[in-house]
Amino acid sequence: MDASAIEAGRSRWQARYDGARKREADFTTLSGDEVAPVYGPRPGDTYEGFERIGWPGEYPFTRGLHATGYRGRTWTIRQFAGFGNAEQTNERYKMILAAGGGGLSVAFDMPTLMGRDSDDPRSLGEVGHCGVAIDSAADMEILFKDIPLGDVTTSMTISGPAVPVFCMYLVAAERQGVDPAVLNGTLQTDIFKEYIAQKEWLFPPEPHLRLIGDLMEHCTRGIPAYKPLSVSGYHIREAGATAAQELAYTLADGFGYVELGLSRGLDVDTFAPGLSFFFDAHLDFFEEIAKFRAARRIWARWMKEVYGAKTDKAQWLRFHTQTAGVSLTAQQPYNNVVRTAVEALSAVLGGTNSLHTNALDETLALPSEQAAEIALRTQQVLMEETGVANVADPLGGSWYVEQLTDRIEADAEKIFEQIRERGTRAVPDGRHPIGPITSGILRGIEDGWFTGEIAESAFRYQQSLEKGDKRVVGVNCHHGSVTGDLEILRVSHEVEREQVRVLGGRKAARDDARVSGALAAMLAAARDGSNMIEPMLEAVRAEATLGEICDVLRDEWGTYTEPVGF
Ligand SMILES: C[C@H](C(=O)O)C(=O)SCCNC(=O)CCNC(=O)[C@H](O)C(C)(C)COP(=O)(O)OP(=O)(O)OC[C@H]1O[C@@H](n2cnc3c(N)ncnc32)[C@H](O)[C@@H]1OP(=O)(O)O
């Protein structure tokens, strides 16, 4: 790009920056020197390929979504939490908010994630263990007691039964007197990644996609700020994918949801801002930064050129990041604080919008209160003490980071091509035609291609670890005397007994005819193809349980068994 075009971009950036709100903060170095809000080529310099890098706040958004970077607003500190029953988790949320957490993020227990009630025999031993147990709207009400849902952005990590759980959240808001239309938050809902990596689906892919389409329609029409999808690479990476695979599979899944929205006749500029993303921050510092920057650029380009998005917000890739759980070690667990800090720094230098930092004991159990607090403070140290929030995209223009960004982008494009070539599926039901990327994803799920590719990568990494080419302190080198005398959180089985007792009482107290009538109306909607959200909301208002709702749909749509491969 020639010098005059670069200068024209700088002027556009300056105008945006001048017109934007900035935080009241000291933007100098520790030594007291002023720093500029952004750096770029020196005036008069030319820069080959600068159009791919650009300025923060401008297409292709490689350098961030906002001209001000974190000077306008710092990232959201959003610590994922949940354990035991709704009351215990509500206490933890109040602690997180009081300690400076910027938003909430709900972790559900395994029965809830699988759409089962706490009194289901399959739930035995799991209630309240990896997250909070939610059986009906009454639990959701307790979960957010004294937390005004209209004021706090709330993320809920659930995909298989995302839609009924979302209905419970809406009903909890109604019971707080909050107009659901003002709600802002995120629902994970990403069913593609369940088949690809996390394995928590309820039905075959197509009925799931139908429900997700209903949800997208409902949110687009009535809850404009809400993000009904958090397209997740985290679990794909944690399953062993490389950085480029994580990026490409996740963005391809995102394209699949765009194709779903388009197939419903929704306007891309209206529904695309409701798609958000979720990535892993692993230990290779620069590769991760490059991955985040490439993600924004690829998404913006595809949204504009392939799917016709015209507005900035529809081209923006907004993402949450969690530090890599898989990088934590049981050996010398205090070292995990260091790993997490480095990973979090890569997310921040990559411009994450929201961040969770893992607790040092998470390889052993859910975080203790003390470990959870250290994790939160890790973000606050980065935000308040290090100066990283002073300058937008401080690594932009680094030869290494820019070349890595280009390389990861090129690798991702090759993978998109492989996915597209795999697509053979024609229109499934005649009503909602499936797009070319969605077709490739479904084929890749059904023939085990994604899981096979990830397993290959995981196997290669494990071999390099065992050969000692890749090194992990305390695991295959530097064995030392740092011991693991940690007090870990244990969830009592009493939680399960109590939850089952409370659930029994609730079931006995409700109006059975209202529940069965509402479930029958929901089933009728499932059959006639109309939007299922309103009838599902009615069932939730009647205190139908998650298990009851999901069982009706399991009976109708069947379950799914993945292909086996070696
Ligand atoms: C591993 C585990 C498991 O169980 O397996 C999990 O899956 S845990 C999974 C946990 N997942 C999560 O917690 C997902 C979290 N995701 C989210 O919170 C969202 O989807 C998100 C990524 C879009 C972040 O949303 P957010 O509200 O925190 O942050 P945003 O970046 O949207 O910022 C909030 C508002 O401030 C505005 N804003 C931000 N920065 C600036 C700036 N510099 N200048 C001007 N405005 C700005 C944004 O445009 C937005 O307004 P406006 O909206 O008006 O534009």
Side-chain angles (χ1 to χ4, degrees):
M1 185 181 272
D2 67 30
S4 64
I6 292 174
E7 285 318 299
R10 195 192 311 269
S11 304
R12 285 192 304 273
W13 169 83
Q14 188 72 53
R16 280 204 180 88
Y17 180 82
D18 291 344
R21 283 212 357 223
K22 272 76 77 182
R23 287 184 291 122
E24 287 296 323
D26 168 23
F27 298 121
T28 65
T29 67
L30 211 53
S31 316
D33 293 325
E34 284 293 330
V35 290
V38 74
Y39 290 82
R42 279 175 311 191
D45 282 359
T46 57
Y47 195 119
E48 177 86 25
F50 191 72
E51 61 283 354
R52 293 201 310 278
I53 302 172
W55 298 91
E58 186 167 272
Y59 183 88
F61 304 105
T62 313
R63 306 196 65 190
L65 306 178
H66 302 283
T68 50
Y70 295 132
R71 281 197 183 195
R73 181 184 183 280
T74 48
W75 67 90
T76 306
I77 298 179
R78 195 182 293 283
Q79 295 297 89
F80 182 55
F83 65 97
N85 60 26
E87 210 174 312
Q88 288 169 301
T89 299
N90 173 266
E91 286 304 313
R92 178 65 67 91
Y93 290 166
K94 287 180 189 157
M95 178 283 255
I96 289 173
L97 291 173
L104 294 178
S105 180
V106 184
F108 296 97
D109 71 357
M110 190 53 76
T112 309
L113 291 170
M114 299 307 292
R116 304 280 178 189
D117 288 340
S118 299
D119 61 0
D120 187 310
R122 295 175 189 78
S123 305
L124 193 69
E126 288 292 342
V127 175
H129 274 256
C130 71
V132 60
I134 298 292
D135 289 312
S136 74
D139 286 320
M140 203 61 105
E141 235 183 306
I142 298 168
L143 187 67
F144 296 116
K145 189 165 179 291
D146 303 326
I147 298 173
L149 285 174
D151 301 340
V152 181
T153 60
T154 301
S155 159
M156 295 192 292
T157 293
I158 192 153
S159 294
V163 179
V165 166
F166 173 69
C167 289
M168 290 179 190
Y169 166 75
L170 293 189
V171 170
E174 284 172 11
R175 291 179 185 172
Q176 279 191 2
V178 173
D179 176 3
V182 307
L183 291 173
N184 191 351
T186 305
L187 188 66
Q188 192 164 78
T189 320
D190 178 11
I191 206 66
F192 287 139
K193 76 98 169 53
E194 296 298 338
Y195 299 107
I196 294 174
Q198 202 180 11
K199 320 281 182 190
E200 289 161 6
W201 59 77
L202 306 191
F203 324 114
E206 270 136 4
H208 270 300
L209 289 179
R210 179 263 169 98
L211 264 180
I212 296 171
D214 288 357
L215 175 72
M216 289 169 79
E217 277 178 7
H218 186 86
C219 291
T220 304
R221 291 186 185 138
I223 318 180
Y226 197 79
K227 286 130 204 109
L229 275 147
S230 174
V231 191
S232 303
Y234 188 84
H235 316 82
I236 293 173
R237 188 67 185 281
E238 294 274 302
T242 63
Q245 285 171 328
E246 175 196 358
L247 180 64
Y249 296 169
T250 310
L251 295 187
D253 291 347
F255 301 145
Y257 297 119
V258 172
E259 292 177 355
L260 178 63
L262 293 172
S263 78
R264 292 294 185 108
L266 300 175
D267 169 32
V268 69
D269 287 312
T270 313
F271 79 78
L275 298 174
S276 76
F277 289 83
F278 170 36
F279 293 112
D280 196 284
H282 218 304
L283 269 169
D284 192 315
F285 188 65
F286 293 104
E287 187 176 57
E288 294 302 282
I289 295 166
K291 178 184 78 182
F292 300 128
R293 298 172 83 252
R296 274 191 300 270
R297 179 157 83 206
I298 297 170
W299 184 254
R301 185 162 43 74
W302 273 67
M303 290 307 291
K304 182 176 175 180
E305 292 177 6
V306 181
Y307 298 114
K310 292 183 199 63
T311 65
D312 282 1
K313 278 198 174 179
Q315 295 168 2
W316 279 0
L317 178 138
R318 304 195 215 205
F319 67 101
H320 173 73
T321 308
Q322 178 163 336
T323 53
V326 81
S327 73
L328 305 182
T329 64
Q331 298 89 337
Q332 306 177 20
Y334 292 105
N335 297 344
N336 292 332
V337 177
V338 182
R339 294 189 176 98
T340 297
V342 171
E343 292 163 353
L345 185 57
S346 76
V348 168
L349 293 175
T352 195
N353 303 96
S354 165
L355 179 62
H356 168 99
T357 31
N358 288 328
L360 70 111
D361 54 357
E362 275 184 82
T363 187
L364 304 166
L366 286 185
S368 67
E369 189 161 335
Q370 191 195 19
E373 187 177 342
I374 295 171
L376 173 77
R377 300 295 181 215
T378 303
Q379 293 203 39
Q380 290 167 333
V381 169
L382 291 179
M383 191 182 276
E384 309 286 356
E385 300 180 19
T386 64
V388 289
N390 288 349
V391 178
D393 190 37
L395 292 176
S398 145
W399 289 322
Y400 182 36
V401 171
E402 295 302 351
Q403 285 186 33
L404 268 179
T405 306
D406 290 347
R407 196 212 70 210
I408 291 195
E409 179 177 20
D411 288 350
E413 286 292 339
K414 279 189 213 132
I415 296 175
F416 298 148
E417 203 38 52
Q418 289 175 314
I419 293 173
R420 201 176 6 213
E421 277 169 5
R422 303 181 67 74
T424 53
R425 179 174 305 219
V427 179
D429 65 2
R431 239 166 42 89
H432 301 130
I434 273 187
I437 292 285
T438 313
S439 169
I441 296 169
L442 290 174
R443 171 83 188 279
I445 288 168
E446 285 161 5
D447 67 10
W449 180 75
F450 287 107
T451 45
E453 293 286 295
I454 295 170
E456 259 315 303
S457 300
F459 181 62
R460 272 198 302 274
Y461 175 72
Q462 190 61 29
Q463 280 182 315
S464 62
L465 204 59
E466 284 169 20
K467 278 195 254 161
D469 296 341
K470 297 283 183 220
R471 289 153 75 85
V472 178
V473 171
V475 175
N476 67 355
C477 61
H478 309 296
H479 306 278
S481 57
V482 185
T483 56
D485 54 348
L486 290 173
E487 283 275 335
I488 60 168
L489 179 87
R490 292 184 198 282
V491 178
S492 155
H493 282 292
E494 194 43 49
V495 168
E496 179 168 306
R497 281 193 282 271
E498 180 58 13
Q499 183 72 13
V500 170
R501 192 189 64 73
V502 170
L503 178 59
R506 270 190 217 139
K507 280 183 179 166
R510 64 191 181 172
D511 176 347
D512 285 341
R514 186 177 168 208
V515 175
S516 51
L519 289 174
M522 186 190 78
L523 178 61
R527 287 182 177 158
D528 72 21
S530 54
N531 191 301
M532 290 182 61
I533 307 293
E534 280 303 334
M536 199 179 277
L537 271 169
E538 269 312 301
V540 166
R541 288 188 190 108
E543 218 61 44
T545 65
L546 184 63
E548 288 167 341
I549 292 171
C550 295
D551 280 346
V552 166
L553 299 178
R554 268 188 278 257
D555 286 349
E556 178 66 11
W557 289 333
T559 54
Y560 177 78
T561 306
E562 67 178 331
V564 179
F566 292 99

